[in-house]
Amino acid sequence: MSKAICYPARKVLNGVKFELFTDDEIRQIDLASRDILANYGVQVSDDECVQVFKKGGCEVDEKTRMVKIPSYVVDRALATCPKRFYLYGRDDCHTIEQEWKGRVHYTCFGTGIQVCDYKGPGKFVTRDSTDADLAMIAKVCDWAEGISYFSLPVSARDWAGKGAEDVHEMITSLCNTVKHFQHIDPVAEHVKFYWDMLKAYYGGDEKMAKEKPLMSMLVCPTSPLELSHNAAQTIYQGAKFGIPVNVLSMAMAGGSSPVYLAGTLVTHNCEVLSGIVLSQLGCPGARVWYGSSTTTFDLKRGTAPVGSPELGMISAAVAKLGQYYGLPTYVAGM
């Protein structure tokens, strides 16, 4: 497939490196993660996906829904994960590659529930975000050359309680950008609706919708060490329908994971690997990211500071982990 090179993001920071670990140190984190996955496991809060793990060679406790994942199952999953795949826009110019050790790309991130209306110097009014706000932000991101694809930045709160908010957010996003759309707040029960819309774009052609989906999904395990019903089903259905899935942990050091960053990396790694294993058990070759928005927990203020130096260190660390496993990686900003 030929593609014009349109984005500065295809070149920006390409080749910049920050080596946080030696090969031996990254292997130690890998071994600690495999020990936890095989001997302690993760809780999978979805009956169907528990059975998928069981059929895939994992030891399952039906009562507690704890799933122990042997190393050979992890290795088998990693062997079938693609090292490179495309995020399709409406044309070749807005289609980008996601590649192991590939180019750096940028997207917006959310999902916020409020916006500020500017009223003048130092004056603004804060209110709930709406479907119209989402449409406007999509148009701005569509114009911005440095943004490679569009991730859901705010919620359409005016649809809350009235209809399928997440489905409206997808429709509005796809209608207002020609770039690829990543849904950050997917709902497992509505993935079939997303799939129907992708098929509709291609005139009902399931093969085209599966090969060139205009959207992907981001889903978070629940720290520590749980794949919730929504996370598990979103990953599993995404694999079946050919929709790329970003398995992204949001562990918080000192809150939902160990206060020491090395321990948090192990927790994070177990959560992401469990989701990746599920995707490959659902459909070998399914397109997945190794994702992270993991940070620290501010014990004094009870917040997760995403602007902290620790977030940058963790992002550098998990990027290295994703590369170690041969996967395209997605991490929180510097």
Side-chain angles (χ1 to χ4, degrees):
M1 180 178 60
S2 62
K3 291 184 289 301
I5 296 179
C6 306
Y7 294 120
R10 291 183 181 273
K11 300 177 182 177
V12 174
L13 287 184
N14 186 27
V16 172
K17 296 177 72 176
F18 176 38
E19 295 289 351
L20 202 61
F21 299 114
T22 65
D23 290 342
D24 285 343
E25 288 168 340
I26 205 81
R27 181 63 175 155
Q28 287 176 15
I29 294 173
D30 172 63
L31 289 173
S33 303
R34 290 171 183 268
D35 178 59
I36 289 174
L37 287 172
N39 297 303
Y40 178 76
V42 295
Q43 187 175 52
V44 180
S45 301
D46 179 80
D47 292 336
E48 182 181 16
C49 291
V50 166
Q51 297 307 313
V52 171
F53 276 109
K54 187 175 183 178
K55 290 177 183 177
C58 300
E59 181 183 335
V60 169
D61 186 319
E62 305 278 0
K63 186 175 181 180
T64 63
R65 294 178 174 175
M66 291 300 295
V67 173
K68 296 180 181 179
I69 307 173
S71 272
Y72 81 88
V73 176
V74 175
D75 289 334
R76 187 177 62 199
L78 292 172
T80 59
C81 288
K83 294 182 182 295
R84 183 186 189 189
F85 57 86
Y86 289 101
L87 300 184
Y88 291 92
R90 293 193 211 170
D91 53 35
D92 283 353
C93 185
H94 295 96
T95 294
I96 66 163
E97 77 280 2
Q98 297 288 276
E99 185 176 12
W100 171 61
K101 293 188 176 180
R103 293 181 176 91
V104 175
H105 293 282
Y106 295 91
T107 185
C108 49
F109 194 71
T111 302
I113 59 172
Q114 291 186 317
V115 295
C116 292
D117 288 332
Y118 179 73
K119 299 296 183 182
K123 297 179 181 178
F124 60 89
V125 174
T126 302
R127 58 173 175 78
D128 287 348
S129 55
T130 66
D131 196 58
D133 295 318
L134 175 58
M136 185 60 69
I137 297 171
K139 291 175 182 176
V140 172
C141 289
D142 200 60
W143 162 84
E145 290 186 341
I147 294 179
S148 297
Y149 61 99
F150 180 64
S151 297
L152 184 69
V154 295
S155 299
R157 298 301 297 161
D158 46 339
W159 279 109
K162 299 179 183 177
E165 181 180 344
D166 58 299
V167 177
H168 287 284
E169 289 164 350
M170 177 179 173
I171 294 171
T172 298
S173 297
L174 291 178
C175 287
N176 287 280
T177 181
V178 298
K179 298 178 181 178
H180 182 86
F181 168 60
Q182 183 162 107
H183 208 319
I184 292 180
D185 283 334
V187 176
E189 284 72 21
H190 298 161
V191 173
K192 181 62 166 61
F193 296 146
Y194 310 158
W195 170 236
D196 287 340
M197 285 187 277
L198 294 176
K199 287 191 296 183
Y201 177 80
Y202 290 108
D205 189 330
E206 289 193 8
K207 184 173 183 291
M208 284 294 292
K210 211 168 220 183
E211 289 179 356
K212 297 184 175 183
L214 294 180
M215 66 94 70
S216 53
M217 299 182 291
L218 181 153
V219 69
C220 299
T222 303
S223 298
L225 302 174
E226 182 195 6
L227 290 177
S228 67
H229 160 74
N230 191 69
Q233 272 296 328
T234 298
I235 292 168
Y236 184 57
Q237 292 183 65
K240 290 197 300 181
F241 292 133
I243 302 172
V245 177
N246 187 351
V247 184
L248 180 143
S249 176
M250 287 185 172
M252 292 184 292
S256 58
S257 64
V259 71
Y260 294 105
L261 297 191
T264 286
L265 286 179
V266 172
T267 302
H268 170 107
N269 198 35
C270 291
E271 292 170 356
V272 176
L273 287 177
S274 67
I276 288 170
V277 168
L278 176 59
S279 76
Q280 301 308 301
L281 291 176
C283 180
R287 292 164 281 193
V288 286
W289 284 268
Y290 186 105
S292 170
S293 188
T294 289
T295 185
T296 54
F297 183 65
D298 189 321
L299 296 171
K300 185 175 181 179
R301 296 176 176 83
T303 59
V306 294
S308 66
E310 289 84 358
L311 178 132
M313 292 179 65
I314 292 168
S315 289
V318 295
K320 185 72 174 177
L321 278 166
Q323 290 174 355
Y324 176 80
Y325 295 121
L327 299 169
T329 60
Y330 176 113
V331 300
M334 297 168 289

